Amino acid sequence: MLDIDHFKHINDSLGHADGDALLAAVGKRLASAVRETDTVARMGGDEFVIVMPDFKSIEDVKRCGVQMVKNAAKPITIGAREIRITVSVGVCTFPDFALEADELFKNADAAMYAVKDSGRNGLRIFNESRVNEGRVQLEFEGGTYS
């Protein structure tokens, strides 16, 4: 699960047409960070779901998630404006922490909100006993964000 941080404020200040253009640009960036066999879908509002079947390791999932966060942080030009956003990403893996789709979504959502609660702009892997721990540290040009 991926959510654009502070999107309501962005949408209210840009207007809904530019907000929609921003959502489309984010969707394209997300699609560029995944494999052809993966699926990127907008669930509504500013929330996206990325389905990654047959990943080889949790490290592959982390690497892909970090790339999504980095791609989203690059400036996006909407009209004459350059917009900078951040995203919060929550991950839940099958069958480790969920066996049904609704449980996967619920747990990924919990991990995503743990990112938001700890400052946004990051990635968290769901773990039943420690959803509020395990934030993945992200390396960016010009600094490190955790």
Side-chain angles (χ1 to χ4, degrees):
M1 303 282 294
L2 180 144
D3 190 78
I4 300 171
D5 297 328
H6 305 293
F7 182 73
K8 181 177 177 357
H9 173 72
I10 294 167
N11 202 34
D12 289 347
S13 62
L14 293 178
H16 294 285
D18 284 349
D20 288 347
L22 178 65
L23 289 169
V26 169
K28 286 180 184 176
R29 286 202 179 167
L30 293 175
S32 74
V34 298
R35 306 167 299 181
E36 278 188 32
T37 56
D38 300 335
T39 301
V40 174
R42 183 170 160 225
M43 294 296 287
D46 63 326
E47 194 167 79
F48 292 84
V49 171
I50 298 90
V51 178
M52 299 177 67
D54 304 319
F55 60 88
K56 293 188 183 348
S57 71
I58 195 66
E59 292 305 315
D60 288 343
V61 175
K62 285 180 187 177
R63 196 171 17 263
C64 184
V66 167
Q67 191 59 49
M68 286 180 206
V69 174
K70 287 181 177 182
N71 284 355
K74 295 176 184 174
I76 299 171
T77 302
I78 305 291
R81 299 178 190 193
E82 189 173 87
I83 309 299
R84 291 185 180 270
I85 64 166
T86 60
V87 297
S88 296
V89 179
V91 175
C92 184
T93 57
F94 169 90
D96 304 321
F97 297 108
L99 296 175
E100 302 292 330
D102 62 334
E103 191 178 14
L104 277 166
F105 288 133
K106 181 185 80 153
N107 293 346
D109 197 54
M112 180 185 69
Y113 275 95
V115 173
K116 288 186 171 293
D117 290 344
S118 65
R120 305 179 193 283
N121 190 32
L123 170 77
R124 181 85 37 114
I125 309 290
F126 180 84
N127 178 322
E128 283 179 29
S129 63
R130 301 176 312 182
V131 73
N132 290 320
E133 297 177 21
R135 185 177 170 104
V136 175
Q137 189 167 339
L138 304 175
E139 301 284 334
F140 291 92
E141 287 182 29
T144 299
Y145 299 88
S146 62

